[in-house]
Amino acid sequence: MPYIDESPTMSPQLSARSQGGGDGILPTPPEGLGPAVEAGKGLEMRKLVLSGFLASEEIYINQLEALLLPMKPLKATATTSQPVLTIQQIETIFYKIQDIYEIHKEFYDNLCPKVQQWDSQVTLGHLFQKLASQLGVYKAFVDNYKIALETAEKCSQSNNQFQKISEELKVKAPKDSKDSHTSITMEALLYKPIDRVTRSTLVLHDLLKHTPVDHPDYPLLQDALRISQNFLSSINEDIDPRRTAVTTPKGETRQLVKDGFLVEMAESSRKLRHVFLFTDVLLCAKLKKTSVGKHQQYDCKWYIPLADLVFPSPEESEPSPQVHPFPDHELEDMKMKISALKSEIQKERANKGQSRAIERLKKKMFENEFLLLLNSPTIPFRIHNRNGKSYLFLLSSDYERSEWREAIQKLQKKDLQAFVLSSVELQVLTGSCFKLRTVHNIPVTSNKDDDEAPGLYGFLHVIVHSAKGFKQSANLYCTLEVDSFGYFVSKAKTRVFRDTTEPQWNEEFEIELEGSQSLRILCYEKCYDKTKVNKDNNEIVDKIMGKGQIQLDPQTVQTKNWHMDVIEMNGIKVEFSMKFTSRDMSLKRTPSKKQTGVFGVKISVVTKRERSKVPYIVRQCVEEVEKRGIEEIGIYRISGVATDIQALKAVFDANNKDVLVMLSDMDINAIAGTLKLYFRELPEPLLTDRLYPAFMEGIALSDPAAKENCMMHLLRTLPDPNLITFLFLLEHLKRVAEKEPINKMSLHNLATVFGPTLLRPSEVESKGHLTSASDIWSHDVMAQTFSPGLGLGRHRPRGSAQT
């Protein structure tokens, strides 16, 4: 039975609770951002909150309609000689759906005109108050939910006609959507009311936050929130034990605490497993392949009683010679394919293409996403059975490793006994996994409902201000992670603040988002003890002091102003600010109004002024990276501190004599970021607006020889300053890529980083038609220029000498 989340800060997509798996981390609004909001801004935010809620309410009503659609014909056949279902089965499966539909339809019809004809005096608290007072119908629905699912499942197995109906129900698309409908299973639709029951509570929190205390709606919304919270509390007390419990043949109760998909190294290869953490045992399973219509089940691969489970310390763990990291360029290729397939699916939908073609593309996308999910994790998570074997999982995120470790250690504080499961007990436990699981789908975008938020694409600017709550002085730093292609990756790291209980970093980072929905912040204590080395990757293990996660709500972050927030983690509070810039906006090329500097000034003007063949800024940044950053992990990919980058930009623009001293003292990622920023801010790309269409056509050629000849011809037609600078940069990036075993930056990685920067045309030339697909093309062009066959290093520009 799904647990109904009472937390006001969780997103609706995360409403199925994963217990015991973390710190109970909830972002807390900083002081001064409570109900006492500015009236004008607050009322505008109210409208934004309500508009988003209204759109999701329309989708929810369409889902309820789709669920009700087969009910009438099924009832009509129930009294005939050949019924599909009996009246009792119909009433059990569709119990209270009609009532829920009517409540929400009335609510939507009353709310819609108020939002559409918005003014500052509009009142709608009474609508939410009435909706909250009718939540009792959900209690009846929840009480019946388990038997409704079981009945639907039994009917599907025994009746082919009902099975076909329940496998593909048509949900009408929202009014402003280009699609007419989407297909969804009855099981997924029956879960929607469970998921929905928290949504109005979440919205009430947001509305109260942006409603002045003296507004007539304020007391009504407070009352509605009180009713909703009381309802959720009472309902969770009833359903929680039933949801998580499985009774063993000995009459003991065992509860599911946490589950999720992990990659296990088994028999020298990567296997995707579904891991279940119960109150006294960890079970590793895989989903059995079943024929259509058959009930899905898990197959237990192994289990460890928590009383016998130990975590080997880094110095005790054995190295794992069988773990070979997947080549970076192959992972990047998968990402490119996924992005291209997403673009094709969007085109098909826009052109109202055939559903078969879309399903075929979705299947291809799933295959690539699955491979990426399986092969991208590299962080070792080793567990050991004190009576026998060790097991190794590979995770993509230190956050995830910490969650699993903490959840297990929390349970191990209880008085646990060792045991051996009989075959019957193991069968019962494994059989319960399908019903009890909280994570239903592999975390890839192709598994998401079409109505789910697609995530953010662009750049998230984050300032990590400070932290407090540490009990003793330590060497402290933070890392930032965002989700990308179904898994989390580390994107930025603050400097280490030495020997303090209140670090003040005040560092800004620019993080690229690729369909991201969440930001994670982890706080570490830096360890300088060289004996604490992880044998799997030869890195010193730093201690996680706390971790937290927030949802990237588009309405909150897609404003021009900074949004300040606080994450609480194990008694520690980290204060940060963020704002989001869409990809198109961030890559706009705006010529500088001052032509005396170097940023935003044509490369030909700069080289002529300097009497050089390659701009001074490019030469100095490259020299510094090669001197002390060529072996830095993630060089050019990891964000530098934005304030450091801006400081370097100002010094280069002013032609300050102290630039060399500043470069030698500056963090290497900031220097790499300054070089990328220089190319990004050129008024036209290094490979020019004029040649952009030709590069796009050339890279689309099928014949490799023709493609190579085309690239060579186009590059040789570049103006001399552009070509010489490009060759200079190219040789540098090849030297960086030679250190790939150390810096983890392959040519493909570097092509991904520099492609859009060097190729994306100026705003005037692009005319607003750029998509993520154009960035894929730019990556391909860069990858082609890196190709050994192209041999650019052997070609000198017209009359040029070595730079």
Side-chain angles (χ1 to χ4, degrees), residues 46 50 53 107 110-111 114-115 118 121-133 200 203-204 207-208 211 215-228:
R46 268 162 57 87
L50 286 164
F53 182 60
F107 173 75
N110 289 322
L111 183 63
K114 287 182 177 289
V115 176
W118 183 260
Q121 301 304 312
V122 72
T123 58
L124 34 78
H126 60 288
L127 298 179
F128 281 92
Q129 194 180 37
K130 184 178 179 182
L131 184 66
S133 70
S200 55
V203 170
L204 285 167
L207 283 176
L208 275 169
T211 301
H215 193 284
D217 269 349
Y218 196 81
L220 299 174
L221 293 172
Q222 270 192 320
D223 190 48
L225 180 59
R226 179 187 56 77
I227 296 167
S228 299

Side-chain angles (χ1 to χ4, degrees), residues 129 151 188 321 327 365 546 648 652 659 672 746 797:
Q129 194 180 37
T151 305
M365 192 166 98
L648 277 173
F652 275 113
V659 66
S746 64

Side-chain angles (χ1 to χ4, degrees), residues 688-704:
T688 72
D689 285 330
R690 177 177 61 85
L691 293 179
Y692 179 81
F695 274 115
M696 296 304 102
E697 289 173 12
I699 203 65
L701 294 170
S702 301
D703 178 45

Side-chain angles (χ1 to χ4, degrees), residues 54 57 61 102-117 122-124 126-128 130-131 134:
L54 194 67
E57 190 75 0
I61 288 167
E102 287 170 4
I103 287 168
H104 282 270
K105 186 69 168 67
E106 182 188 2
F107 173 75
Y108 177 86
D109 290 343
N110 289 322
L111 183 63
C112 189
K114 287 182 177 289
V115 176
Q116 289 176 345
Q117 297 161 19
V122 72
T123 58
L124 34 78
H126 60 288
L127 298 179
F128 281 92
K130 184 178 179 182
L131 184 66
Q134 295 171 307

Side-chain angles (χ1 to χ4, degrees), residues 144-203:
N144 182 70
Y145 176 75
K146 186 179 179 184
I147 192 169
L149 277 187
E150 288 172 352
T151 305
E153 189 181 310
K154 285 175 186 173
C155 292
S156 284
Q157 290 174 358
S158 61
N159 189 303
N160 287 335
Q161 201 174 345
F162 182 70
Q163 182 195 324
K164 287 177 183 176
I165 293 169
S166 62
E167 279 183 351
E168 198 169 343
L169 293 168
K170 305 294 184 188
V171 178
K172 191 169 61 179
K175 295 186 187 93
D176 56 352
S177 173
K178 292 179 180 177
D179 297 325
S180 59
H181 66 267
T182 55
S183 297
I184 190 166
T185 65
M186 183 173 286
E187 182 186 356
L189 282 178
L190 282 171
Y191 183 74
K192 296 297 178 182
I194 298 284
D195 192 34
R196 190 68 186 176
V197 76
T198 58
R199 186 64 186 254
S200 55
T201 311
L202 297 169
V203 170

Side-chain angles (χ1 to χ4, degrees), residues 7-133:
S7 157
T9 51
M10 294 289 277
S11 78
Q13 286 89 351
L14 297 178
S15 59
R17 173 176 165 185
S18 178
Q19 299 178 29
D23 310 304
I25 302 143
L26 304 173
T28 304
E31 292 174 18
L33 293 182
V37 293
E38 299 171 35
K41 186 180 176 184
L43 290 169
E44 185 58 32
M45 284 301 294
R46 268 162 57 87
K47 185 186 177 184
L48 288 173
V49 170
L50 286 164
S51 297
F53 182 60
L54 194 67
S56 67
E57 190 75 0
E58 182 191 352
I59 291 167
Y60 180 48
I61 288 167
N62 289 347
Q63 289 165 344
L64 293 173
E65 278 183 347
L67 201 50
L68 288 170
L69 198 62
M71 188 174 74
K72 287 181 182 176
L74 286 170
K75 276 187 176 179
T77 62
T79 54
T80 65
S81 57
Q82 290 184 314
V84 179
L85 302 181
T86 66
I87 287 290
Q88 188 177 357
Q89 287 170 332
I90 295 166
E91 287 178 350
T92 302
I93 294 169
F94 298 96
Y95 186 67
K96 294 295 179 184
I97 298 294
Q98 183 71 45
D99 295 342
I100 293 172
Y101 169 76
E102 287 170 4
I103 287 168
H104 282 270
K105 186 69 168 67
E106 182 188 2
F107 173 75
Y108 177 86
D109 290 343
N110 289 322
L111 183 63
C112 189
K114 287 182 177 289
V115 176
Q116 289 176 345
Q117 297 161 19
W118 183 260
D119 65 60
S120 59
Q121 301 304 312
V122 72
T123 58
L124 34 78
H126 60 288
L127 298 179
F128 281 92
Q129 194 180 37
K130 184 178 179 182
L131 184 66
S133 70

